[in-house]
Amino acid sequence: MKLGRWMALGLTLLLVSTPASAKKTNQELADDVRAAETAFAKTMADRDLKAFATFVSEETIFFGGKGPLRGRAKVVEVWTRFYEGPAAPFSWKPETVEVLDSGTLALSSGPVFDPDGKLINTFSSIWRLEKDGKWRVIFDKGCPVCEPETKP
């Protein structure tokens, strides 16, 4: 009887200590990251800077025009200007999402559009599954789209 109790306790501890990501398939994790990126982008459309901040890791690095922005506070400080006014200055959506087999890091990338729907940039974000079970951006970088050459 004592052995049965110890086995039950051991099984319970194993289940409790297993990360949530280990219970999901890679596709389910990719779907979670895609949903997080989509909700992250929706904060721009909704003009909700406070919600934006919840998707950004405390130790994030965003690459921008004047060098990297380090930490959530600095990113929110600089991005505040994008959330001012009634209309979003740009929008984005994930097209590609890949998750490590460990289920701890993911990459999302896709197009960035101006208010008229013109493709102006692409983005790449590295997401980390943090201890609280939420995916947050740890690296973010946008790149301008190259215009195709036109022949005279």
Side-chain angles (χ1 to χ4, degrees):
M1 187 70 162
K2 285 185 179 183
L3 182 60
R5 284 184 193 162
W6 284 112
M7 287 177 64
L9 176 62
L11 181 58
T12 300
L13 289 174
L14 178 65
L15 291 173
V16 169
S17 65
T18 302
S21 63
K23 298 174 187 173
K24 292 188 173 187
T25 67
N26 193 277
Q27 184 58 55
E28 290 170 327
L29 291 168
D31 291 344
D32 290 348
V33 173
R34 184 178 305 280
E37 183 73 66
T38 301
F40 186 42
K42 188 175 183 305
T43 69
M44 178 65 73
D46 293 347
R47 319 305 293 130
D48 190 346
L49 181 65
K50 187 175 179 182
F52 167 86
T54 67
F55 289 95
V56 178
S57 177
E58 282 288 341
E59 59 181 341
T60 197
I61 298 175
F62 273 45
F63 294 89
K66 294 184 179 180
L69 304 173
R70 301 182 79 84
R72 179 189 296 154
K74 186 66 173 177
V75 169
V76 170
E77 174 190 326
V78 171
W79 276 61
T80 296
R81 66 188 170 108
F82 298 131
Y83 283 80
E84 294 171 345
F90 57 88
S91 63
W92 71 94
K93 66 178 183 176
E95 281 188 345
T96 301
V97 176
E98 290 293 335
V99 180
L100 290 178
D101 288 341
S102 66
T104 57
L105 292 174
L107 171 110
S108 63
S109 62
V112 179
F113 304 100
D114 73 7
D116 296 323
K118 179 183 176 195
L119 178 65
I120 55 170
N121 277 7
T122 59
F123 75 90
S124 292
S125 298
I126 305 294
W127 293 77
R128 177 174 62 195
L129 186 59
E130 297 199 337
K131 291 179 182 180
D132 64 1
K134 294 183 180 180
W135 287 98
R136 290 197 178 83
V137 177
I138 57 169
F139 291 99
D140 184 82
K141 186 171 187 176
C143 296
V145 173
C146 296
E147 294 292 329
E149 289 186 35
T150 56
K151 295 185 180 183

